[in-house]
Amino acid sequence: LELARQTGMDIVDLDRSEIPDEVLALLNPSLAHAHRIVPVAVDGDEVVVALSDPLNATVLDELRFMLNREVRGVIARPRSIEAAIAKHYGDWKPELEDALYTMGLESDATSHTSEHADESTLPALTFQPGPDGAAIDEGSEAAALLDATLAFVFEFEESWLELRLFQGEFAIVTHFDDGSESRTNHYGLELGRGLIDAVKTLAGIPSSQAFCPDTTLRGRFSARAGERTLQVDLTSRRTTTEGATLVLHTREPAKLDLELTQLGLSIKEQRAIEKALEADSGLFLVTGPQRSGKTTTLYAAVRRLIDGKTKTVTVEQPVELELDGATQCPINLELGFTFARGLKAALFHEPDNLLVGELRDRETAGMAVDSAGVLRVLTALRVSGAVSAIHTLIDLGVAPAAVAE
């Protein structure tokens, strides 16, 4: 009653409530387990959700984003919440005080379907290890939390994640590239460590090496939901003696596999790009902030150049899409294989077309501009626009006369 008074929320008795299947289907089972919530009704355009922690407003904000509808929270007894989740989304087995509850892929959690269900509802995910990774127990609590986290990313594709372990606490921070405020969820320390171990296993990062001081390690794995695949590129770094951070950049490779005609360009813009690519040499420079579509544009342009007659080489960190007909070289900074060294290696192949993922340093920028005098060089700068690119190239040591050309 006191919580109801403080939050202004109504109280619902889940033990006596009948919840329609179409309401239950609105919520991904992973999120129900992760946040201990149950949708109980639809009131017009508003979804009513029972919470075990009514002070956690982040959950309601997340649901508003995912459902694109107004969401109203109501209070239910924690035991009633647990019983409702077990009844409607599958059995759960508490093993840790702060843990999620195990979700089997063939449990009742995935059986709720209705012609009124939200089409964006995803099935439970399956995880594909990276080249150096290994499979994990997809029925584990850590896998359930990873499922819930990546299900949210599937809904909002333009995002990246941080798994933060610091001073005895664990949190998942979701960042949005549209400028929206980041979302932070806190979980039990033991569950957090289990999630980190699971992610490192999938990505092929040894647990004994993942948080070595002053060392950054990288890996990759993917998650599948039906016909959709999410690629996860992982960076692991120890930030202090008391904490560490895993950064997960996510992308759907299918959204990179586009032709120029599929980029949403005007006819005038498309023709201008095609004309630029017809030249035997020159610098094709794409600019924009992080995750603005630079890589997608570069891939579409280089695909246009791959014709079986010319040689195409790429230098990337990481290789985000395998291109038929191109030789692709992944950068590995930990082994000293920088963009500059990768570019030198690529030039030994005597390519006709050279894609350099990004200009980040003076040496790479200088070689890319010089090479553009004899071959086609496609690359990107992380700046706001074309005018800023001119100043950035000069700051990177490119001669103003070369920029002018």
Side-chain angles (χ1 to χ4, degrees):
L1 292 177
E2 180 62 22
L3 279 176
R5 185 185 65 80
Q6 291 179 7
T7 61
M9 293 184 182
D10 295 328
I11 299 175
V12 64
D13 185 355
L14 284 182
D15 297 334
R16 300 182 179 180
S17 300
E18 292 293 332
I19 307 175
D21 281 351
E22 59 266 26
V23 174
L24 292 166
L26 290 173
L27 187 63
N28 188 295
S30 303
L31 294 176
H33 283 285
H35 300 301
R36 299 173 188 174
I37 56 179
V38 177
V40 295
V42 174
D43 185 5
D45 292 331
E46 185 178 68
V47 180
V48 182
V49 177
L51 308 170
S52 62
D53 180 8
L55 298 180
N56 187 359
T58 303
V59 176
L60 298 179
D61 290 337
E62 176 181 327
L63 292 175
R64 291 185 184 103
F65 275 119
M66 294 191 69
L67 300 177
N68 195 28
R69 302 171 73 167
E70 184 55 42
V71 177
R72 174 166 58 90
V74 294
I75 298 174
R77 290 182 300 175
R79 289 184 179 179
S80 298
I81 291 276
E82 295 180 9
I85 292 176
K87 175 182 177 182
H88 300 297
Y89 293 113
D91 293 335
W92 55 349
K93 301 175 182 178
E95 296 181 0
L96 300 171
E97 181 179 352
D98 297 308
L100 292 177
Y101 296 92
T102 302
M103 288 169 40
L105 292 178
E106 297 180 357
S107 71
D108 294 340
T110 59
S111 65
H112 297 289
T113 57
S114 168
E115 61 182 359
H116 303 292
D118 188 338
E119 293 180 357
S120 66
T121 299
L122 292 170
L125 307 184
T126 56
F127 305 111
Q128 306 291 325
D132 300 318
I136 62 172
D137 178 5
E138 297 197 10
S140 68
E141 293 168 349
L145 178 55
L146 184 59
D147 184 297
T149 302
L150 295 183
F152 186 84
V153 174
F154 263 109
E155 296 290 341
F156 300 94
E157 298 140 11
E158 300 297 325
S159 59
W160 57 281
L161 308 168
E162 287 182 273
L163 309 187
R164 293 179 179 174
L165 191 64
F166 183 70
Q167 293 184 339
E169 297 184 354
F170 175 73
I172 299 176
V173 184
T174 306
H175 300 272
F176 303 97
D177 294 314
D178 62 1
S180 302
E181 185 177 354
S182 60
R183 180 180 66 103
T184 302
N185 284 338
H186 295 272
Y187 299 91
L189 181 60
E190 191 168 352
L191 176 62
R193 287 173 174 161
L195 176 62
I196 287 174
D197 285 342
V199 168
K200 291 187 295 185
T201 297
L202 286 167
I205 296 179
S207 297
S208 59
Q209 301 179 21
F211 289 141
C212 296
D214 300 324
T215 299
T216 299
L217 298 176
R218 303 178 189 276
R220 171 181 290 181
F221 68 94
S222 60
R224 291 187 62 84
E227 297 299 318
R228 297 173 65 185
T229 299
L230 187 74
Q231 180 177 292
V232 182
D233 289 296
L234 172 67
T235 303
S236 167
R237 173 177 284 277
R238 187 180 186 99
T239 54
T240 71
T241 58
E242 300 182 46
T245 299
L246 293 176
V247 178
L248 281 64
H249 287 279
T250 60
R251 186 187 298 273
E252 288 194 64
K255 297 185 181 297
L256 289 174
D257 196 9
L258 301 176
E259 303 288 347
L260 284 174
T261 55
Q262 298 173 294
L263 298 182
L265 302 171
S266 68
I267 296 178
K268 182 179 180 180
E269 291 169 334
Q270 183 179 324
R271 288 177 176 171
I273 291 176
E274 291 171 345
K275 183 177 180 180
L277 295 176
E278 289 173 359
D280 293 331
S281 62
L283 183 68
F284 183 86
L285 184 63
V286 180
T287 65
Q290 183 176 3
R291 297 178 74 97
S292 60
K294 300 188 298 295
T295 302
T296 305
T297 304
L298 284 175
Y299 274 134
V302 80
R303 281 166 59 91
R304 187 63 173 258
L305 295 173
I306 297 174
D307 56 7
K309 301 177 182 178
T310 57
K311 182 181 293 185
T312 300
V313 179
T314 77
V315 181
E316 309 170 64
Q317 184 194 26
V319 173
E320 299 192 60
L321 179 69
E322 294 185 3
L323 295 169
D324 292 334
T327 300
Q328 295 177 270
C329 305
I331 294 303
N332 191 325
L333 299 178
E334 286 66 51
L335 297 179
F337 193 65
T338 62
F339 269 104
R341 292 186 65 180
L343 183 50
K344 290 178 181 178
L347 291 174
F348 278 112
H349 290 271
E350 298 184 350
D352 302 290
N353 313 307
L354 175 63
L355 185 153
V356 181
E358 189 174 354
L359 299 183
R360 300 182 181 179
D361 57 78
R362 297 172 68 90
E363 187 177 7
T364 305
M367 284 193 294
V369 172
D370 290 344
S371 299
V374 294
L375 55 90
R376 303 182 189 92
V377 178
L378 299 86
T379 188
L381 272 178
R382 193 180 300 182
V383 295
S384 58
V387 175
S388 299
I390 295 174
H391 297 292
T392 301
L393 286 173
I394 294 174
D395 290 342
L396 287 173
V398 179
V403 175
E405 292 178 4

